[in-house]
Amino acid sequence: MGKKLWKTNEVKVDIASYMHYIRGVKKVGKTTLFNDLVDKISGGDMSQGLLISLGDEDGYKALNGLMVATAKNWAELNEIINELVNNKKDNDFKFIGLDTVDELFNIGVEEVLRLHKKKYNEKCETLNSAFGGYGAGRDKLKDIVRDQVARLKGAGYGIFAIGHTKLRNVKEKGKSEEYQQLTTSLNFDYDSVIADKADIVATISIDKDIVDVQNINVGGKTKQIGSIGGVTRWIHFRDDNFNVDCGARFGDIIPKVELSAENYIEAIEDAIKNSAKGKSKEDIEKMKAKEIAEREEKAEKLAEESSKINPEKNEELTELIKNKFTSASQVVKLKVKEIMDKHNIASFKDTSDTPTEALQEIAEALN
């Protein structure tokens, strides 16, 4: 009997097992929501959450007690993620906030230009012309962002990505009418890198109550003028009218709740309970414990694999190998091929995931 290639899926019940994407206009309370979610879920233990403040973002400044790491550029981000992945046992973080994904792509552009210069030994001024143009630079940017998010997810952290929104005029294919939608401020292909992987895309909107409306004559025309009587902030999970761009993998989730950590948690936990049909509270707690244990086991394996890779050393060894391979004898080339086969190395085009020890073995064979 061959290897069984399928299994019965079991719904995830721990909120950290899902990737969350929270979007809203500036200063609407996105970073505060992450802060409060960590506080509520952890029972006040703020060491269970880390906010990675990216680029020029500094939305954490008024949040006392929040654990923060700042990454002004890609090198700093890579250093932070390496530490989170390789030394996971050294922290208690259950949740990682990325504030904001807009800035994540901004600092990623400079990294793409650096990688272009490294590969072609020439300076590139724009993303559009990087890696030969024709969208290759944008594709590279999406790849490096996708890779960093995947590393955090693979290490067992619950991801809360934070992004900005704006109103856009949307015209669907085959229809002449346009409508306004509150959606991402990112280019749609960039946003999809995050949104397509997120299990919950929660968009925050603001409702303003206008009171004391009066008819005022302005330039011979009558206008209605009023004052703001109150403001309500909503978190949207579903919107059948498509006025707010949001969504969730859960088939049964409340469309929207007022903005608060308590309401967010309750909405997600209710949706989980509805998906875990017939499961008692005790069953769910057992399932949650199992999920956490499985995530930790997976994270340990990833940390073990990552510890075998030294990115800087890999770059140095790869250049050395490329320079020496052409002039090597046929006997040495065959020896290199044997080592490559042993370590499943297909080429030296991208050795970022190659164990450093394997490259060191090849370099020694070429000496």
Side-chain angles (χ1 to χ4, degrees), residues 172-189:
E172 294 185 2
K173 188 176 180 180
K175 294 188 177 182
S176 58
E177 302 85 2
E178 285 187 342
Y179 60 91
Q180 279 201 321
Q181 185 180 58
L182 183 64
T183 185
T184 177
S185 63
L186 284 170
N187 291 320
F188 285 125
D189 60 333

Side-chain angles (χ1 to χ4, degrees), residues 47-50 67 84 88 91-96 157:
S47 69
Q48 290 191 26
L50 174 70
M67 303 289 288
L84 289 170
K88 190 171 189 297
N91 70 68
D92 297 319
F93 302 135
K94 187 174 182 181
F95 303 102
I96 303 294
Y157 297 106

Side-chain angles (χ1 to χ4, degrees), residues 232-245:
T232 306
R233 291 173 170 83
W234 297 96
I235 307 173
H236 296 258
F237 300 107
R238 286 196 185 282
D239 182 19
D240 293 337
N241 295 320
F242 300 101
N243 298 125
V244 179
D245 182 13

Side-chain angles (χ1 to χ4, degrees), residues 316-327:
E316 177 187 326
L317 289 169
T318 300
E319 287 303 310
L320 185 151
I321 291 166
K322 287 179 178 178
N323 291 334
K324 289 192 173 185
F325 186 80
T326 304
S327 59

Side-chain angles (χ1 to χ4, degrees), residues 15-16 18-22 29-46 48-50 63 66 94-97 158-162 200 202 204 235 237 257-269:
I15 199 168
Y18 294 96
M19 179 172 170
H20 308 250
Y21 186 13
I22 301 166
K30 303 181 296 295
T31 310
T32 300
L33 178 61
F34 174 75
N35 176 81
D36 295 348
L37 285 168
V38 173
D39 183 32
K40 297 298 178 185
I41 295 171
S42 69
D45 182 4
M46 297 304 292
Q48 290 191 26
L50 174 70
L63 298 171
L66 179 63
K94 187 174 182 181
F95 303 102
I96 303 294
I159 308 297
F160 280 87
I162 298 171
I200 299 103
I204 302 171
I235 307 173
F237 300 107
V257 295
E258 281 197 53
L259 175 60
S260 75
E262 294 91 338
N263 288 343
Y264 188 94
I265 294 166
E266 184 178 356
I268 301 303
E269 289 186 342

Side-chain angles (χ1 to χ4, degrees), residues 162-345:
I162 298 171
H164 290 118
T165 57
K166 69 177 183 180
L167 279 171
R168 293 180 191 254
N169 290 325
V170 178
K171 184 177 179 180
E172 294 185 2
K173 188 176 180 180
K175 294 188 177 182
S176 58
E177 302 85 2
E178 285 187 342
Y179 60 91
Q180 279 201 321
Q181 185 180 58
L182 183 64
T183 185
T184 177
S185 63
L186 284 170
N187 291 320
F188 285 125
D189 60 333
Y190 291 168
D191 182 73
S192 293
V193 172
I194 307 298
D196 289 354
K197 294 297 182 183
D199 302 290
I200 299 103
V201 178
T203 301
I204 302 171
S205 72
I206 303 173
D207 280 353
K208 297 176 182 177
D209 296 326
I210 310 299
V211 298
D212 300 329
V213 178
Q214 300 178 26
N215 292 324
I216 305 293
N217 188 291
V218 179
K221 295 183 179 180
T222 300
K223 287 190 175 182
Q224 288 190 324
I225 304 294
S227 58
I228 297 175
V231 174
T232 306
R233 291 173 170 83
W234 297 96
I235 307 173
H236 296 258
F237 300 107
R238 286 196 185 282
D239 182 19
D240 293 337
N241 295 320
F242 300 101
N243 298 125
V244 179
D245 182 13
C246 55
R249 298 198 191 280
F250 303 106
D252 189 5
I253 189 170
I254 192 169
K256 67 179 183 178
V257 295
E258 281 197 53
L259 175 60
S260 75
E262 294 91 338
N263 288 343
Y264 188 94
I265 294 166
E266 184 178 356
I268 301 303
E269 289 186 342
D270 284 348
I272 288 172
K273 289 173 186 174
N274 291 332
S275 295
K277 298 174 182 177
K279 301 293 184 182
S280 66
K281 185 177 180 179
E282 291 75 20
D283 291 334
I284 289 177
E285 287 304 315
K286 289 179 182 178
M287 291 167 68
K288 187 182 293 187
K290 180 183 175 184
E291 280 173 39
I292 294 171
E294 287 175 347
R295 285 205 308 267
E296 291 303 316
E297 183 180 354
K298 183 179 177 182
E300 284 183 25
K301 289 180 180 178
L302 179 63
E304 185 179 343
E305 292 171 4
S306 297
S307 66
K308 298 176 182 177
I309 301 171
N310 183 324
E312 292 76 19
K313 188 67 175 177
N314 277 14
E315 288 184 15
E316 177 187 326
L317 289 169
T318 300
E319 287 303 310
L320 185 151
I321 291 166
K322 287 179 178 178
N323 291 334
K324 289 192 173 185
F325 186 80
T326 304
S327 59
S329 68
Q330 191 61 31
V331 173
V332 172
K333 287 181 178 179
L334 288 173
K335 178 62 177 175
V336 168
K337 185 65 170 60
E338 287 178 10
I339 300 171
M340 290 175 68
D341 290 342
K342 181 174 72 172
H343 294 284
N344 296 315
I345 302 173

